[in-house]
Amino acid sequence: MNPTAAAPAGAAPTQASPSQTLSRGIRALEILAAAQNPLTIAELADAMGVHRSVAYRILRTLEDHSLLVRDDAGRVQPGPGLAVLARGVSRNLQTAALPELTQLANSLDMTAFVTVWDHQDCITLVTVEPRHSGATVAQHPGTRHPINAGAPGIAIQSALTEAEWNLLATGIPYRPEAAEARRTGYSSSHDEVIAGVSSLAAPVRVPGGRPAALAVVYIRSVHDPATVGAALAECAARIERQLA
């Protein structure tokens, strides 16, 4: 029997096995992205749970594609190739959001950012810090936190009704605050993701994709939260019009 022959009509397709090498390479990039400092090959191999020779082969391939670089001491860190790949992630959303983020950050004196929904988490896609401020909360691209914590996650949920959310079978409860955010156009949180930090967010509906959130974070502000929330909702609406 030909092993490459097609499966009989009506038969369930065979699920392809995941590539262990590819998975390890991606895991290496995740570890390096989360590390505070460059890692030695031995440190990276330990974090990956593989022999040093295996880590070395993976790193050589990633290095060939500029996805990581090694310094003069041989320590490894993320490479410029990752920035090239990141440019293509939600490209239209990034392009539409950047002017709005800049305006929000500088007018409110707060860090403004867009988060996208990834499985159980929110991931910061793009961020802008105010031009003239020395006391803002930093929010770096790639930062991730659980979607059921914080204003961005609430805002993402609020783009859907509770019934629509439950149909997705995420296993994550629909927060009561999301229903309120549907009414007001924005969500709020305090002390949920970072101790002492407040956040406000508005949903951004992405045609053909999962909703995102436009958000700000701050420790204290002279602005009324309702005023900031309304500004976020207006900016989110302008972004949606550009994406339509």
Side-chain angles (χ1 to χ4, degrees):
M1 181 177 179
N2 183 358
T4 62
T14 302
Q15 186 173 6
S17 299
S19 167
Q20 185 182 56
T21 301
L22 178 59
S23 179
R24 284 173 170 172
I26 293 171
R27 179 60 184 145
L29 294 174
E30 291 173 341
I31 292 168
L32 290 171
Q36 296 297 313
N37 299 295
L39 302 179
T40 66
I41 293 178
E43 289 170 337
L44 183 57
D46 287 343
M48 294 172 62
V50 300
H51 191 273
R52 190 181 306 184
S53 62
V54 174
Y56 183 76
R57 287 196 299 271
I58 292 170
L59 296 185
R60 283 295 303 271
T61 301
L62 296 174
E63 192 174 19
D64 287 344
H65 292 276
S66 298
L67 298 178
L68 60 82
V69 294
R70 282 185 278 181
D71 62 19
D72 292 340
R75 292 183 295 265
V76 185
Q77 58 188 316
L82 288 175
V84 176
L85 296 179
R87 282 188 321 202
V89 178
S90 301
R91 188 191 306 272
N92 291 342
L93 178 57
Q94 291 194 59
T95 300
L98 190 57
E100 300 293 342
L101 292 174
T102 303
Q103 184 272 327
L104 282 170
N106 291 321
S107 63
L108 298 175
D109 200 29
M110 301 175 184
T111 297
F113 59 100
V114 168
T115 65
V116 292
W117 177 12
D118 178 53
H119 298 288
Q120 308 287 304
D121 296 332
C122 291
I123 297 181
T124 300
L125 177 67
V126 60
T127 181
V128 173
E129 295 184 24
R131 186 177 298 111
H132 303 296
S133 179
T136 55
V137 181
Q139 182 78 14
H140 302 295
T143 301
R144 117 180 4 243
H145 69 266
I147 196 171
N148 60 353
I154 298 170
I156 288 173
Q157 283 192 328
S158 75
L160 306 169
T161 65
E162 184 171 3
E164 290 171 335
W165 179 264
N166 291 336
L167 282 175
L168 296 176
T170 63
I172 303 169
Y174 190 82
R175 292 185 59 164
E177 295 89 345
E180 174 65 13
R182 283 183 66 82
R183 184 184 69 81
T184 62
Y186 68 93
S187 60
S188 63
S189 67
H190 176 71
D191 221 19
E192 289 197 17
V193 177
I194 304 174
V197 171
S198 298
S199 180
L200 296 162
V204 178
R205 295 163 180 84
V206 179
R210 288 184 165 188
L214 177 67
V216 293
V217 287
Y218 58 96
I219 297 175
R220 61 181 64 88
S221 173
V222 299
H223 302 284
D224 176 61
T227 301
V228 177
L232 283 167
E234 291 171 2
C235 288
R238 288 195 291 268
I239 293 172
E240 290 177 350
R241 287 194 291 271
Q242 293 187 59
L243 295 175

